Amino acid sequence: MARMEDVRAILARNIKAARKRLNLSQEDLAARAEIDRTYVSGIERQVRNPTITVVAKFAEALETTTSDLLTG
Amino acid sequence: MARMEDVRAILARNIKAARKRLNLSQEDLAARAEIDRTYVSGIERQVRNPTITVVAKFAEALETTTSDLLTG
DNA sequence: GTGTGACTGCGAGTCCGTT
DNA sequence: AAACGGACTCGCAGTCACA
């Protein structure tokens, strides 16, 4: 059976892609989303496990949807 | 501009709908997802703010995707 | 079968810094 | 610009008794 990819990996990839599409640094994104910059770093490195409300903040800052950021 | 609906409300609605589509009780779903019965209740009542890994467990138990459960 | 309050442990999330 | 660490606060994960 197909193993599910970890949702944190999917999120990390999608956030990175959306961020670079907008030419934002992690710091820029952190400021936009009102999230700590070290936390943004941790999420992109998959060492953090954010809540859905935090993902929603990222989605807004990245001009996309929560659902899209979790699409694998 | 349109105000964003709370992501917890979206999740609650989608989980309820998917659960009823499969004719599962909260207890049934809890057993499938290996999550406490009362925790399922809390999420459907939006008094919990789950992490994305918890949502992924629900998705698997409900035969859908994390992304779908967060689609508004 | 579901809602709810209360509880503990640990991780979510922040703030300081260095490399 | 980003990875990484330490120390911190508070809220989430997970459970229980009871209505």
Side-chain angles (χ1 to χ4, degrees):
Chain A
M1 52 182 273
R3 275 263 309 289
M4 271 294 174
E5 185 182 6
D6 191 274
V7 279
R8 284 172 303 179
I10 296 173
L11 178 67
R13 186 188 333 119
N14 291 340
I15 285 183
K16 255 186 248 184
R19 177 170 70 77
K20 294 188 174 173
R21 201 174 301 127
L22 296 178
N23 283 304
L24 300 175
S25 66
Q26 288 182 353
E27 283 181 341
D28 294 334
L29 174 54
R32 276 206 194 197
E34 296 182 299
I35 289 172
D36 193 83
R37 67 178 171 80
T38 65
Y39 198 60
V40 173
S41 170
I43 287 177
E44 290 197 356
R45 285 179 292 120
Q46 308 172 39
V47 295
R48 294 289 190 160
N49 184 31
T51 57
I52 59 175
T53 54
V54 166
V55 178
K57 279 184 168 187
F58 275 108
E60 192 177 3
L62 291 168
E63 301 170 6
T64 180
T65 63
T66 306
S67 172
D68 268 1
L69 289 182
L70 291 169
T71 300
Chain B
M1 55 182 277
R3 274 263 307 289
M4 271 297 172
E5 183 183 7
D6 187 17
V7 61
R8 283 172 304 181
I10 296 173
L11 178 67
R13 185 187 336 117
N14 289 341
I15 285 183
K16 258 186 245 183
R19 176 169 69 77
K20 293 188 176 174
R21 200 175 302 127
L22 296 177
N23 283 305
L24 300 174
S25 65
Q26 288 183 356
E27 284 182 338
D28 294 334
L29 173 55
R32 278 204 191 198
E34 296 182 302
I35 288 174
D36 192 85
R37 196 209 98 229
T38 64
Y39 194 64
V40 174
S41 170
I43 286 177
E44 288 198 357
R45 285 178 296 117
Q46 308 172 40
V47 295
R48 296 282 192 161
N49 185 31
T51 56
I52 59 176
T53 53
V54 168
V55 179
K57 277 187 170 186
F58 275 105
E60 191 176 5
L62 290 168
E63 301 170 7
T64 181
T65 62
T66 305
S67 172
D68 268 0
L69 288 182
L70 292 169
T71 300

